[in-house]
Amino acid sequence: MQKRVLDYVRQYHMIEPGDRLVAGVSGGADSVCLLLLLKELQREIPFELAAVHVHHNLRGQEADGDASFCRELCRGQGIAFRLFSCPVEREAREKKLSLEEAGREARRRCFEDFAREWGGTKIALAHHRNDVAETMIYNLARGTGLAGLCSLGPVQGRYIRPLLGLGRPEIEEYLRERGQDWREDASNRSLEFSRNVIRHRVLPPLNEQVNSRAVEHMAAAAELLGEAREYLEGQARLLFSQYVKRQGKLWRVSQELLGQPRILRGYVLAWCLEEIRGSKRDLGRVHLESLEDLLEGRVGREICLPGRVRARREYGGLLLERDSGAADGSPALAPVQPATHGQPPVQKPRASGGAPEEGKRELPFLVPDTLKVGNWDVETALWEKELTEIPRKAYTKWLDYDKIKNTAVWRTRRTGDRMQVTREGGSKKLKDLMIDWKIPRDIRDEIWLLAVGQEVLWVPGYRLGESCKVSPKTKHIVKITVQGGNIHEREDPCDD
């Protein structure tokens, strides 16, 4: 195994003589194996090694034990050790991230901080082939492009992954042969987390019933996809320099870009948005599709995107600029509507329907907005297009913006909730509807819904109420897209 890892490291030039390597160590089998193998590699390649452990402050004494274990492991191996403590739960709440996302951000931040302080040149992570397969399936299920299918590459900037050529069973067997213990995180067995479902319920049947080398083949495919992505990005960089021009705070995209393959146009437009915003956060496929539509559309149309970016179709192409009138961190401006539709309100204030019941949860409904609602990623936007036919989607809805008024909120159910179920105004108790939908009693209080007062407008995945549906008289439409968690977009049989 040591030779295999050494060959893999040399193949991708991960470690060079004189490097100062920072290794992330959690105490799990993967990171313990990484640390021991890196220690062995120092006999072949002269480099310095230090380890960083990040305490997330989430699992009490168990997490304290992980930190102590890592400290003693490094002491026994003669490896410099640094412990960081991060309030991950608080950071997740403040940044509206999942615990997993907040934990990942905290670890990266600590690794970078220590590398700057210590003079580290590379940061080693313990991902292996199973992680590649799990990430590929996870991203594919949630919706992704090439980037999500090959997101765990051998070398990404200063980050290296020396164990990508190994599978989890090999890693554990290596540690057993050496008589080396490791720590088990109990949360890794919980099926409440999507990745654990993939790890324990999806990959085993693939290995046992389809192909015993399924994980290996998926990792190999990810490597090929990474090479394809690298080539496409190289071609797109040439197009970017040819068709995108910066003039002060303005960015212009030539309409001649339309003559290039769509996949390359996507890269160019994505980089435009990243450059003007300074970040790719909260940008998704829907935003690139909006820019594509704008570039192909009529002169004079205009849209707004996350990060206060305004894009306008002009003669010759697109003009993009970032609105400087709002403070950093404020929501994006509302898209400008065609003149025949008039101007809708820019953004709705938070609902004023009274305090939520004890134990119930409530979040504001804003337009436009991107918001974390439970395990969902919710995006709202004012819709510019004429809708001659409403698509029948379970997790994407088009509502009459003006009927919602300024009182809508995302929340869980409350006593007295009702939904209008007929065009004539007939309604039904939400409790009875949940029984009709065969929703288990123990999860009914966990389901998020959109409501005004005690009127339920929409229960994503189940039904949209009649009171807010788009009609021939509708002037302004709000599009709501729900993604994430364990949901799968599908045609909605209740949407008639």
Side-chain angles (χ1 to χ4, degrees), residues 171-290:
I171 289 172
E172 294 182 357
E173 181 61 26
Y174 170 78
L175 295 179
R176 291 190 190 98
E177 290 178 355
R178 290 194 51 155
Q180 175 62 57
D181 294 333
W182 66 87
R183 300 282 292 183
E184 291 284 357
D185 184 343
S187 66
N188 287 337
R189 296 188 294 272
S190 172
L191 296 182
E192 293 182 7
F193 300 100
S194 300
R195 287 182 180 273
N196 290 346
V197 173
I198 295 171
R199 180 176 302 169
H200 300 299
R201 294 288 179 85
V202 177
L203 283 180
L206 286 177
N207 281 317
E208 297 163 8
Q209 302 175 33
V210 179
N211 191 311
S212 61
R213 299 176 65 189
V215 168
E216 180 182 347
H217 291 162
M218 292 173 70
E223 191 168 341
L224 287 173
L225 289 169
E227 294 175 4
R229 179 192 177 195
E230 185 176 346
Y231 170 78
L232 290 171
E233 287 185 344
Q235 297 300 303
R237 276 191 286 271
L238 297 177
L239 299 183
F240 187 90
S241 63
Q242 183 176 354
Y243 295 118
V244 180
K245 304 299 179 185
R246 183 174 184 178
Q247 298 174 340
K249 296 182 178 180
L250 303 179
W251 292 77
R252 296 187 183 275
V253 182
S254 171
Q255 67 182 17
E256 295 181 6
L257 181 64
L258 287 171
Q260 300 298 322
R262 184 179 181 88
I263 190 169
L264 297 180
R265 296 202 305 265
Y267 280 112
V268 172
L269 294 175
W271 290 338
C272 285
L273 290 177
E274 289 176 30
E275 287 288 337
I276 196 170
R277 297 172 75 247
S279 168
K280 64 173 67 176
R281 185 171 178 178
D282 296 330
L283 290 178
R285 185 185 300 273
V286 64
H287 304 115
L288 295 182
E289 290 175 350
S290 296

Side-chain angles (χ1 to χ4, degrees), residues 303-304 310 331-337 343-347 367-368 382 401:
I303 62 173
C304 281
R310 188 180 295 275
L333 300 176
V336 175
Q337 303 291 308
Q343 283 289 345
V346 171
Q347 178 177 301
V367 180
L382 288 172
Y401 187 87

Side-chain angles (χ1 to χ4, degrees), residues 9-239:
V9 165
R10 284 175 169 165
Q11 177 185 353
Y12 289 99
H13 307 284
M14 293 186 188
I15 307 174
E16 301 293 342
D19 270 337
R20 292 173 67 82
L21 200 63
V22 178
V25 56
S26 67
D30 312 335
S31 64
V32 171
C33 177
L34 173 67
L35 202 65
L36 297 182
L37 286 172
L38 288 176
K39 182 69 175 178
E40 293 293 332
L41 291 186
Q42 285 183 305
R43 299 179 181 179
E44 304 291 336
I45 306 172
F47 66 91
E48 295 185 57
L49 177 62
V52 170
H53 177 82
V54 181
H55 193 309
H56 293 179
N57 291 282
L58 291 175
R59 295 178 291 114
Q61 292 183 349
E62 183 180 358
D64 295 339
D66 292 345
S68 297
F69 173 85
C70 292
R71 181 184 291 107
E72 292 304 313
L73 174 65
C74 290
R75 180 178 297 162
Q77 294 292 325
I79 299 172
F81 175 79
R82 171 66 68 85
L83 172 65
F84 286 87
S85 179
C86 295
V88 169
E89 185 172 13
R90 188 184 71 195
E91 292 182 8
R93 185 170 59 252
E94 292 175 349
K95 298 179 181 180
K96 297 181 181 179
L97 300 174
S98 67
L99 287 176
E100 184 179 26
E101 292 170 327
R104 183 164 55 247
E105 279 195 7
R107 290 192 296 274
R108 289 292 180 109
R109 185 175 66 248
C110 293
F111 296 157
E112 294 283 354
D113 288 347
F114 179 76
R116 282 192 295 271
E117 175 188 334
W118 185 61
T121 57
K122 305 281 180 62
I123 297 172
L125 304 177
H127 295 115
H128 46 75
R129 275 200 309 235
N130 290 69
D131 291 317
V132 174
E134 290 167 11
T135 301
M136 177 182 284
I137 293 174
Y138 178 77
N139 288 339
L140 188 62
R142 286 170 58 91
T144 188
L146 279 180
L149 297 177
C150 55
S151 58
L152 298 182
V155 178
Q156 292 175 315
R158 68 193 304 187
Y159 285 87
I160 63 173
R161 296 182 173 93
L163 304 189
L164 279 193
L166 306 178
R168 181 178 286 116
E170 295 177 279
I171 289 172
E172 294 182 357
E173 181 61 26
Y174 170 78
L175 295 179
R176 291 190 190 98
E177 290 178 355
R178 290 194 51 155
Q180 175 62 57
D181 294 333
W182 66 87
R183 300 282 292 183
E184 291 284 357
D185 184 343
S187 66
N188 287 337
R189 296 188 294 272
S190 172
L191 296 182
E192 293 182 7
F193 300 100
S194 300
R195 287 182 180 273
N196 290 346
V197 173
I198 295 171
R199 180 176 302 169
H200 300 299
R201 294 288 179 85
V202 177
L203 283 180
L206 286 177
N207 281 317
E208 297 163 8
Q209 302 175 33
V210 179
N211 191 311
S212 61
R213 299 176 65 189
V215 168
E216 180 182 347
H217 291 162
M218 292 173 70
E223 191 168 341
L224 287 173
L225 289 169
E227 294 175 4
R229 179 192 177 195
E230 185 176 346
Y231 170 78
L232 290 171
E233 287 185 344
Q235 297 300 303
R237 276 191 286 271
L238 297 177
L239 299 183

Side-chain angles (χ1 to χ4, degrees), residues 235-476:
Q235 297 300 303
R237 276 191 286 271
L238 297 177
L239 299 183
F240 187 90
S241 63
Q242 183 176 354
Y243 295 118
V244 180
K245 304 299 179 185
R246 183 174 184 178
Q247 298 174 340
K249 296 182 178 180
L250 303 179
W251 292 77
R252 296 187 183 275
V253 182
S254 171
Q255 67 182 17
E256 295 181 6
L257 181 64
L258 287 171
Q260 300 298 322
R262 184 179 181 88
I263 190 169
L264 297 180
R265 296 202 305 265
Y267 280 112
V268 172
L269 294 175
W271 290 338
C272 285
L273 290 177
E274 289 176 30
E275 287 288 337
I276 196 170
R277 297 172 75 247
S279 168
K280 64 173 67 176
R281 185 171 178 178
D282 296 330
L283 290 178
R285 185 185 300 273
V286 64
H287 304 115
L288 295 182
E289 290 175 350
S290 296
L291 272 186
E292 283 271 3
D293 291 343
L294 190 64
L295 185 59
E296 295 173 353
R298 70 178 188 275
V299 172
R301 286 187 63 235
E302 190 171 325
I303 62 173
C304 281
L305 299 158
R308 311 190 312 277
V309 174
R310 188 180 295 275
R312 183 168 65 250
R313 180 65 163 96
E314 295 189 332
Y315 292 107
L318 295 180
L319 175 67
L320 291 88
E321 61 181 328
R322 194 176 189 197
D323 176 43
S324 58
D328 287 344
S330 63
L333 300 176
V336 175
Q337 303 291 308
T340 55
H341 287 265
Q343 283 289 345
V346 171
Q347 178 177 301
K348 292 189 174 297
R350 180 159 185 161
S352 56
E357 295 177 20
E358 183 177 356
K360 302 299 182 180
R361 293 166 290 175
E362 180 178 302
L363 293 170
F365 177 77
L366 303 175
V367 180
D369 194 18
T370 54
L371 181 67
K372 199 77 176 176
V373 178
N375 291 325
W376 296 339
D377 296 308
V378 177
E379 179 177 325
T380 61
L382 288 172
W383 191 248
E384 295 185 39
K385 299 182 179 180
E386 297 284 355
L387 284 176
T388 55
E389 181 179 352
I390 303 295
R392 296 160 61 94
K393 299 292 186 180
Y395 292 97
T396 303
K397 293 296 181 186
W398 290 260
L399 282 61
D400 189 316
Y401 187 87
D402 298 309
K403 290 180 181 178
I404 297 176
K405 306 300 181 186
N406 62 350
T407 56
V409 295
W410 290 104
R411 63 171 175 78
T412 50
R413 68 171 182 163
R414 297 178 188 168
T415 304
D417 279 348
R418 301 184 71 88
M419 176 183 283
Q420 183 178 327
V421 294
T422 69
R423 292 184 177 90
E424 294 74 25
S427 65
K428 195 169 183 178
K429 291 181 180 179
L430 180 62
K431 177 181 178 181
D432 294 337
L433 287 171
M434 287 186 163
I435 293 173
D436 294 343
W437 297 333
K438 296 180 173 57
I439 298 177
R441 182 192 300 269
D442 59 339
I443 68 169
R444 293 175 193 169
D445 287 335
E446 300 300 316
I447 295 175
W448 286 86
L449 50 88
L450 184 66
V452 172
Q454 289 190 318
E455 180 182 7
V456 177
L457 304 179
W458 181 31
V459 182
Y462 293 97
R463 181 161 185 168
L464 177 69
E466 294 291 330
S467 64
C468 59
K469 284 189 174 180
V470 174
S471 71
K473 296 181 180 180
T474 296
K475 293 182 178 180
H476 307 125

